Every structure is written in C-alpha cells, then in structure tokens.
Amino acid sequence: MLLKRKSIPVLSAVLGLTLLLGACSSGGGGGTSPAQAPEPNKPTGKTPTINVAYMPDMNGATPIVIGEEKGFFKEAGINVNAVKFLSGPPEFQAMASGDIDIAYIGPGATFLAAQGKGHIIDIVSLGKSDMVFATKKSGIKEWKDLKGKTIGVPKGTSGEMVLNLGLERGGLKPSDVNIVNMDVAGAVSAYVAGKVDAVAIWSPYTLEIEKQVGKENMVKLGDNSDFFPDYIFPASWVVNPKFLQEKPELVESFLKAIAKTTDYKLKNKDEAVKMTAAYTQVPEESLRMQLDALEWLDNKRVADAFKDGTAKKWYENLEKLFVQNGNLKEVTPADKFLMANPFLKAVGQ
C-alpha cells in the first residue's frame, strides 16, 4: 500500500486529462500556496514524527515514497508526515511557524536559506529542467526578441533565474520585458491560452504544454544547461534551524533514511518512476521526462562536494544571480547556511 499523506488537501490544479499540477521540480520558489496544510508534529506512540515538506516530482516526492514503502524511515526510528507544497517560499513560511521541520527545495528558493531562514543539509540533484518557451505566433526566435513581450513566470523560482540569464545574454534587462508573476498552473494555462508571449517553466509542465499546443507551436529559447558550468542549479534538503538545534538526532536519523533512498532510487530508476507516479498522480511519462532533465547525486558525491568546497562554490555562484535579481543584497558565505556535519555523520564520513 502506498504511503498515505497525513495532511489535508486544500489546493490542486489539473491540466489536460492527466497531469496533476503540484510539482515544482527545480523551481522550488515563487509565491504559490502549499497544496496541503501541515498537521502539528504529533508523535505516534514513542516514535517521533518529522513534518517534511515535499514537492510532487522526482526530486521531492521520490525519497518520501521510497523511504516509506521500503521501510527506511521505520529503520531510522522516525515517522514522516509528508506535506505537499508547490514552491519553496511557503515552505520557509511553514518552517518559520514551526509547522515544517525539513523541506525539499529547488534552487530558486536557495536565497531564503542564504538569508538564514533555513540550513541546507543535503544536496539532491543538479537540474537542467527549467526552460523558457515562446509561442510560435509571438514571432520570438531568440532571447533578444523578448523585448517588450509579456512573460509568465512564477517569481522566485529557478525558472525566473534562467529567464534572467537569458535576458542578459540577449542584451536585455528585466525592465525591458513585461514579467507577470503567476503560479505554476496559471503560467501553463496562460501559455496554452495565448495570453502570454513566453513562459519560464520546468518539466514536467513543459511536456503538458507540448501535449496541449503541439511541439511545432513552441519555440524553446534555452534551459539551465545553456549556462553551465558558470551556473549550477542544485536542489536541496533544508532544515528549520530551530529544529536542527533542538533535535539534531532526528535530523541525522532523517538523513540516514534519505541516504538509503538515494542508493535505492539510483539502482531502481524505473521502479522509482512508477512509485512516484502512483504517489503523486503525475503520469509516468511526465516524470520520466523530468528524470532526463536532472542529475541525481549519489551520497559519495554529496559528501565530497561538502568536504572539498565544491558545494560552497555551487551555492555562492547561485547567490550571485539572487543579488542580480534583488533577492539578496550581497553574497552570503555559503558555510553560514550549509550544514554538512549532519549529512556526513549520517553517511559515516
């Protein structure tokens, strides 16, 4: 039996006939509301419960369903109350109120960790699933053609980050275009309806757009990979600083379980897709597309990145984008919000 999500659904959006919107992939930001409201942290018997925010995609949901179905959370001596969110900022709000202990975030919400609102404790993947598409009828063919055009984008996401990089490459500034802040469902719907000239979005929603308008009517301007290696887009697990301070042993237990889910998903990708599809109700086809657009990191690579300073460089480079778009005033030394010790202890490093 699949993991039961112990929370109350308050928001979902269905596109087409199949895709349940809720994934934020590498987006992990924006102003959308959580898809489910968290319950208070309630222990079951003597087993402590950790309230964990996830996004229904191959980064955020897969570890949750594998951890439950394969008994890794139980082995670690914890219960996980999985709470679905559509983006990162509401997760940080929930952490601030004490409703969420640990959350999966995409790169777009990393600036909130840099502001001290959360500590990054694990790196899930490096992403390239954020894309900017123009409509064929807009006449846009390259970045510079976006001048004066209307672009739908969930603000504060890695989709917006890729858009800003593309604008810079085209010799434009954000003020040269009409950027409309939309949630994920709104951005996709606006593109399909022709209400915007372009959209900055990520898989699996790019596949849903393709289904509805046809690939021949989409003009891809670029994605994350166009800006490698200068900019790397890591997705992360982040912890409520208060929770880490008060219950470090539970954080370590969670990371031990997550490390096992990492080993399992890397060896069983087809099963991971099927399990995640059943759990999230997102079609397998969409999730496989998303899997192709990210690079899962194994535990050794994460440990090495923490120890040799690679992770620090990844996140500080990412912060430069946040300074450019006004989310940060300056680059914060990454060692102020990267907390490697809990992960390194969990994996015996």
Side-chain angles (χ1 to χ4, degrees):
M1 181 178 294
L2 286 174
L3 168 66
K4 294 180 179 178
R5 290 157 287 182
K6 309 169 201 172
S7 47
I8 304 170
V10 297
L11 173 64
S12 62
V14 179
L15 287 180
L17 298 176
T18 56
L19 180 59
L20 173 66
L21 281 180
C24 197
S25 177
S26 62
T32 54
S33 300
Q36 297 175 331
E39 290 182 344
N41 195 332
K42 296 178 180 178
T44 301
K46 295 183 179 180
T47 304
T49 295
I50 302 175
N51 290 321
V52 179
Y54 77 99
M55 296 178 196
D57 58 25
M58 292 303 295
N59 272 332
T62 302
I64 298 298
V65 66
I66 290 177
E68 184 70 17
E69 293 301 306
K70 301 302 174 182
F72 298 143
F73 294 139
K74 185 176 181 180
E75 290 174 10
I78 57 175
N79 290 323
V80 166
N81 177 41
V83 186
K84 185 170 70 176
F85 282 74
L86 301 184
S87 58
E91 294 178 323
F92 279 91
Q93 293 168 10
M95 282 196 289
S97 65
D99 292 321
I100 288 296
D101 306 314
I102 296 173
Y104 160 79
I105 63 168
T110 303
F111 74 95
L112 292 164
Q115 290 176 350
K117 298 177 182 178
H119 295 322
I120 291 173
I121 52 175
D122 193 1
I123 306 169
V124 182
S125 70
L126 305 181
K128 53 183 179 180
S129 64
D130 303 282
M131 307 174 195
V132 178
F133 283 99
T135 62
K136 187 175 181 179
K137 70 175 185 178
S138 70
I140 298 168
K141 295 182 179 179
E142 51 186 314
W143 291 112
K144 66 180 183 180
D145 298 334
L146 287 171
K147 186 173 183 178
K149 300 295 186 179
T150 298
I151 308 166
V153 56
K155 296 278 285 183
T157 66
S158 45
E160 182 189 21
M161 295 163 70
V162 169
L163 171 62
N164 287 338
L165 286 171
L167 291 174
E168 182 179 7
R169 181 165 291 184
L172 303 175
K173 297 177 292 185
S175 59
D176 292 325
V177 298
N178 178 27
I179 294 177
V180 181
N181 184 20
M182 299 177 170
D183 62 19
V184 178
V188 174
S189 298
Y191 184 97
V192 171
K195 295 181 179 179
V196 295
D197 299 303
V199 68
I201 205 73
W202 46 86
S203 67
Y205 305 116
T206 48
L207 180 61
E208 181 60 26
I209 289 175
E210 183 179 323
K211 286 180 181 177
Q212 296 204 38
V213 305
K215 190 172 184 178
E216 68 278 5
N217 293 312
M218 300 169 65
V219 180
K220 182 178 177 180
L221 300 179
D223 61 33
N224 311 68
S225 62
D226 294 325
F227 307 100
F228 288 173
D230 294 331
Y231 295 101
I232 303 295
F233 295 80
S236 319
W237 285 106
V238 62
V239 66
N240 184 332
K242 183 179 180 182
F243 187 75
L244 178 60
Q245 181 180 8
E246 296 178 352
K247 300 181 180 179
E249 72 286 350
L250 291 187
V251 175
E252 187 177 339
S253 294
F254 176 78
L255 289 173
K256 284 181 179 179
I258 291 299
K260 291 181 179 179
T261 72
T262 297
D263 289 338
Y264 192 90
K265 73 186 183 185
L266 286 170
K267 294 176 182 176
N268 304 277
K269 290 186 178 181
D270 285 342
E271 183 185 358
V273 168
K274 292 181 183 298
M275 293 174 70
T276 306
Y279 181 58
T280 62
Q281 298 301 297
V282 175
E284 289 184 27
E285 179 186 9
S286 297
L287 294 175
R288 289 186 194 281
M289 177 185 175
Q290 185 186 42
L291 195 56
D292 291 338
L294 60 86
E295 180 185 358
W296 274 338
L297 303 187
D298 62 34
N299 294 312
K300 182 180 184 305
R301 189 171 176 193
V302 174
D304 289 346
F306 275 141
K307 291 189 292 185
D308 67 14
T310 299
K312 188 174 186 291
K313 292 178 182 177
W314 286 345
Y315 286 99
E316 289 181 353
N317 244 15
L318 203 60
E319 286 186 80
K320 294 176 184 178
L321 295 181
F322 296 128
V323 172
Q324 290 175 17
N325 66 22
N327 284 326
L328 288 177
K329 292 183 179 179
E330 59 185 3
V331 172
T332 302
D335 51 18
K336 291 186 178 297
F337 59 89
L338 286 182
M339 301 296 162
N341 285 339
F343 175 82
L344 296 176
K345 288 178 65 178
V347 299
Q349 295 284 325

